[in-house]
Each structure stands twice: as C-alpha cells, then as structure tokens.
Amino acid sequence: MLVLSEAEVREVLPAADLVDIMEHALGAFSSGQVNQPARTAVAVGPERAYFGVMPASISTPAAVGAKLVTVFAGNAAQGLPTHQAVILLLDPETGAPAAVMDGRYITAARTAAVSAVAVRHLARGVSAVLAILGSGIQARSHVGSLCRIQHFREVRAWSPTSEHLARFVEDAASLTSTAVHRARTAEEAVRGADVIVLATSSATPVVRDTWVGAGTLIVSLGAYRPEMREMDPGLVARARVIVDSRMAALVEAGDIVQGIREGRFTAAHIAGEIGEVILGRVPGRSSPDDVVIFKSLGMAVEDVAAAHLAYRRAREKGLGQGITI
C-alpha cells in the first residue's frame, strides 16, 4: 500500500488540473456510473464535532475508495486545523488496500474545482465581480480556482473576523493577479457581485435576499448539516437551485431541508444536479436574469476521482512510502 503525505499529493495534483477531472466525475455521477451512498455522519462529544464517512465506486476510470473527514471546531483554540481528512483507495479488482493519503488538501482543491465547474456552466457570460464571504482554506482555494477560469475585474472579500480577513486579503495577492478588496460588511461585498461564494462556517444566514441582484450565481459551501442555514430562506425560494446530489441535498442541506419543512417550496424546487447540466439534460439557466444557487455539499466521487489521479501520478514519479499491512 502506498502512503502519500499532503506535500506529495500537492506535488502530483496541482489545483489547476482538477477542474476537468471534477467535471467528468460530476457527469459520471448524474449518469449512473457511480455507486455512492449518502455520507454517514456521526456527532462526536458534547460539542457535536463532525465525523463523516464517504465511500464511492466509479466505473470509468475504475476506482474505489472512501474519505474519512472530521470537523472539530475546538481545534482552532489549540492551533490545529478544524477540518482534517484521509482518503483510502482500494484495488478495484481485488479490494486490497492500494493507497492511503492526506485528504485535507484534496478536499479544499476539489471543492474549489467543482465550484469552477459550476461557474463555467451556471454563471452569466460576462461576470466581472466575485464576492467571497469567508477567509479560511476554502476561501483561499476558491480565489485561485475561480480566477483561473473567469476574468474577474474585482474580488471583494468579507469575513466576520477582521484579522482573518486582513490576512486573507494579503495572502490573495499570491493566489491571483486580480485585485482583492476588503469589504466592510457582507452586504457591501455582495451588492452588485456577479458570482458570490459563501465559504463561511456560519450556521445562520450571512446573505440577505434583498442584497442579491438579477442574474447572480451563488455558490454555497456551508450549511452541510440539516440544522444549519447560511442563506436567507426568501433567497433560496426565489432562486433556481442546482445541487451536486439531489439525494444528499434533501437530507443534509439545511437551506433546502428547512425550506421544505417550513412549506416555502417542495423537493421539486431543485431544478437539477450540476452533472445533469454538464450532460445537457437540464438547463443551467432559463433566463439571463435568473438568480442561480449551486448548493455544494461535496461528494465522495470527487474525492475518489482526485485521489485516483494522485495515486497514478505518484506511482509514475516514484513518490510515497510503500508499506505492507
């Protein structure tokens, strides 16, 4: 079995390489070429830390594996990452363990690549202003990924923690040549933006319906539990909603689960999966003025596809440590 560190995964899997890989994986998922159950989520301890298990089997290229991911908010006080992950790959012919690798970098990079796919298929043709709410690892990965595929004139950033925001804006200069400006409020960041990325850990709405203009694309990464909600429910109700997985969204996405429970809309409010848009089965927009929400919960197929590519490249380069178990 091959063991790959985060540094080795980064070396063989540049973030720029993942957009097309994710586009293929999302299309494969929506066309039935992936066997992927709903993720198993376990609450840990009195603070209800999160432990998720995410398995998937892909037909082409043949790959089988699972990601184990944790979110322990209390780690921040200890100077440790709040999000940690490891990915296990199995031989698709024998089931034997083939590789185990760091999954934290892959999680950030593949999530941003999926958002780039969403921008490619769901944003209006001319998108000049990108707003990013949040200042953590996902905000950083999204600046680089989205600015590579779309020529934004301006990036506006906001975070509830001013020192984190200042650091993010400073670091962004090494991630993109596009000017990144610090917004004083979430509303200032969002108003007039063409693409909005919600990359916060907030469990309550951070963006209001009245702030969002016609034609905007919102990429929502948070509210990955049914009790969480990061968007104004009125905004979700008026938007065209595209998800990564219908099944997962109806169980895990708080903005959708709670909206259905409150009678604001039904499950039919989900217009389609991003994979269906990629395949041409569902239109991304019915009008240039549509407000479109892409709800990204993250899927095992994304992790397994990325890890499979990292594994192949590492073998070719002779990277990693081989162990016998």
Side-chain angles (χ1 to χ4, degrees):
M1 183 172 69
L2 194 65
V3 179
L4 296 172
S5 67
E6 178 177 333
E8 289 166 330
V9 174
R10 285 179 179 271
E11 181 177 343
V12 298
L13 200 65
D17 290 1
L18 281 174
V19 178
D20 290 342
I21 296 295
M22 292 300 101
E23 187 169 68
H24 174 79
L26 293 163
F29 173 77
S30 292
S31 62
Q33 299 176 52
V34 175
N35 187 352
Q36 176 187 287
R39 117 182 71 207
T40 299
V42 178
V44 181
E47 295 185 357
R48 295 184 60 79
Y50 176 89
F51 170 44
V53 181
M54 303 169 60
S57 173
I58 307 172
S59 299
T60 307
V64 182
K67 182 171 78 173
L68 306 182
V69 57
T70 60
V71 182
F72 278 59
N75 283 3
Q78 304 178 53
L80 297 172
T82 56
H83 294 61
Q84 302 191 63
V86 63
I87 299 173
L88 171 68
L89 288 182
L90 307 175
D91 186 309
E93 294 184 1
T94 67
V100 63
M101 67 188 73
D102 168 79
R104 201 166 69 95
Y105 164 73
I106 284 180
T107 299
R110 62 81 157 150
T111 303
V114 167
S115 296
V117 173
V119 170
R120 177 184 285 174
H121 288 276
L122 302 176
R124 288 187 296 186
V126 177
S127 294
V129 179
L130 169 65
I132 297 183
L133 275 58
S135 56
I137 186 170
Q138 285 292 359
R140 284 168 167 76
S141 63
H142 275 72
V143 165
S145 185
L146 299 191
C147 288
R148 271 192 297 270
I149 67 154
Q150 182 77 35
H151 297 296
F152 292 103
R153 183 187 70 242
E154 175 191 7
V155 178
R156 302 175 191 158
W158 175 83
S159 171
T161 309
S162 58
E163 57 267 31
H164 293 174
L165 176 60
R167 193 177 312 124
F168 169 67
V169 171
E170 182 179 343
D171 293 347
S174 66
L175 302 171
T176 178
S177 59
T178 304
V180 179
H181 300 134
R182 180 175 177 173
R184 291 168 296 181
T185 64
E187 181 178 2
E188 182 180 282
V190 164
R191 281 197 181 273
D194 300 290
V195 177
I196 301 167
V197 174
L198 303 180
T200 78
S201 57
S202 176
T204 56
V206 293
V207 60
R208 298 295 172 189
D209 184 22
T210 54
W211 303 348
V212 179
T216 305
L217 169 64
I218 301 167
V219 178
S220 170
L221 311 175
Y224 55 88
R225 296 183 183 181
E227 69 273 15
M228 299 171 72
R229 177 181 254 167
E230 66 177 347
M231 292 177 284
D232 183 335
L235 173 61
V236 182
R238 78 162 163 127
R240 180 173 177 82
V241 177
I242 304 292
V243 298
D244 49 10
S245 163
R246 249 190 211 88
M247 177 179 67
L250 291 171
V251 175
E252 299 176 343
D255 289 292
I256 295 172
V257 171
Q258 293 182 52
I260 292 173
R261 185 186 306 142
E262 293 163 358
R264 297 176 184 273
F265 46 78
T266 68
H269 188 55
I270 297 175
E273 295 175 342
I274 187 64
E276 294 174 312
V277 176
I278 292 165
L279 295 169
R281 297 177 181 176
V282 171
R285 289 178 169 272
S286 58
S287 161
D289 288 337
D290 281 344
V291 172
V292 180
I293 292 172
F294 172 56
K295 183 58 198 176
S296 178
L297 288 164
M299 299 195 295
V301 62
E302 300 162 7
D303 299 303
V304 172
H308 178 67
L309 179 59
Y311 172 64
R312 284 194 356 246
R313 288 181 172 178
R315 290 289 298 269
E316 290 167 0
K317 290 192 171 187
L319 295 177
Q321 179 181 353
I323 64 170
T324 302
I325 59 173

